[in-house]
């Protein structure tokens, strides 16, 4: 199946005997809202699940919830042209590793809600973010932006090591992490609403109220 609108187009190929499908997007511009409904219809007709997605150079955005619920989707390739990824775009997929392209200027955990991310990487040319130990930080390493929820060893999380440069935690940074407690070091001065407040917090030198915005 082939479709598209505006300046972004897609093709959906599948194999009924295996139940697997691949999706390719190409063009030059931003993905219009509702584009996913077109390939969803094709997917329902084929009765196959999307296992991999290739987005070619020139596509500048991925709409909200574009691939949400694609429970077998594990392989996604994003081009350097991507500037924006909408909320929930890769929620509840099977993606374990995700690379933030050079031009992507906004990242939050809602993009990947419910997905078993083990490692984030960030293109070195991205002026806004960088990765460290598989998690996403601001470029200057002063803010913890998103923690990869499955980035741990053992049965459960047993803590989190904050780089000494970190002074703030972004909203929902720990969303989806199977962790019951985390020690916030004294050099962290600000916890945005829901950044870590839903966790059982053990503060080393400050009260929780002193860490909130």
């Amino acid at each position: 199946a082939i479709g598209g609108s505006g300046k972004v187009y897609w093709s959906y190929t599948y194999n009924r005997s295996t139940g697997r499908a691949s999706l390719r997007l190409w063009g030059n511009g931003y993905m219009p809202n509702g584009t996913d409904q077109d390939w969803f219809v094709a997917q329902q007709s084929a009765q196959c699940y999307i296992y991999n997605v290739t987005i070619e150079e020139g596509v500048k955005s991925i709409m909200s919830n574009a691939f949400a619920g694609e429970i077998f989707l594990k392989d996604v390739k994003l081009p350097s042209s991507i500037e924006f990824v909408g909320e929930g775009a890769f929620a509840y997929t099977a993606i374990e590793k995700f690379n933030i392209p050079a031009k992507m200027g906004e990242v939050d955990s809602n993009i990947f809600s419910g997905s078993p991310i083990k490692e984030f990487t960030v293109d070195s040319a991205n002026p806004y973010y960088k990765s460290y130990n598989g998690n996403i930080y601001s470029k200057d390493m002063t803010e913890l932006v998103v923690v990869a929820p499955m980035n741990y060893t053992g049965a459960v999380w047993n803590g989190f090591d904050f780089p000494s440069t970190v002074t703030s935690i972004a909203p929902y940074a720990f969303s989806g992490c199977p962790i019951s407690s985390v020690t916030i070091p004294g050099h962290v001065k600000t916890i945005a609403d829901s950044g870590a407040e839903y966790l059982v917090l053990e503060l080393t030198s400050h009260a929780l109220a002193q860490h909130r915005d």
Side-chain angles (χ1 to χ4, degrees):
I2 298 176
S5 58
K7 296 182 178 180
V8 176
Y9 303 89
W10 59 269
S11 64
Y12 176 89
T13 57
Y14 60 91
N15 184 326
R16 277 209 176 101
S17 65
T18 63
R20 296 189 174 211
S22 298
L23 186 69
R24 169 180 166 247
L25 288 91
W26 73 95
N28 186 13
Y30 300 93
M31 182 188 295
N33 287 331
T35 302
D36 61 324
Q37 295 303 313
D38 296 333
W39 69 65
F40 179 74
V41 171
Q43 184 174 349
Q44 291 294 96
S45 175
Q47 297 183 339
C48 293
Y49 293 98
I50 295 175
Y51 275 69
N52 58 78
V53 173
T54 299
I55 303 173
E56 297 187 359
E57 198 68 37
V59 177
K60 295 182 179 181
S61 70
I62 300 172
M63 58 171 286
S64 297
N65 303 311
F67 306 105
E70 295 290 350
I71 59 174
F72 294 102
L73 175 58
K74 192 171 184 177
D75 183 24
V76 176
K77 296 179 177 65
L78 298 185
S80 62
S81 56
I82 289 290
E83 300 173 4
F84 175 78
V85 176
E87 183 174 339
F90 295 104
Y92 301 100
T93 65
I95 296 172
E96 296 182 351
K97 294 185 178 182
F98 194 90
N99 181 65
I100 305 299
K103 295 181 180 179
M104 189 168 165
E106 184 177 345
V107 177
D108 66 59
S109 62
N110 291 329
I111 295 172
F112 318 98
S113 295
S115 295
I117 305 290
K118 294 181 178 180
E119 180 184 16
F120 288 110
T121 57
V122 179
D123 191 291
S124 60
N126 188 297
Y128 310 105
Y129 304 104
K130 72 181 301 181
S131 60
Y132 177 75
N133 285 346
N135 304 309
I136 303 175
Y137 294 83
S138 59
K139 190 72 170 182
D140 61 4
M141 290 289 291
T142 60
E143 182 175 52
L144 173 60
V145 179
V146 181
V147 176
M150 296 295 132
N151 182 9
Y152 65 91
T153 56
V156 296
W157 279 69
N158 56 10
F160 184 83
D161 292 326
F162 289 86
S164 60
T165 55
V166 171
T167 60
S168 65
I169 301 174
Y172 300 100
F174 284 92
S175 179
C177 295
I179 183 171
S180 61
S181 67
V182 60
T183 299
I184 308 296
H187 56 79
V188 176
K189 305 299 182 184
T190 304
I191 299 177
D193 286 347
S194 300
E197 64 183 13
Y198 64 90
L199 299 173
V200 179
L201 295 177
E202 226 180 282
L203 304 180
T204 57
S205 58
H206 297 277
L208 177 58
Q210 293 176 305
H211 285 66
R212 288 179 174 168
D213 283 342

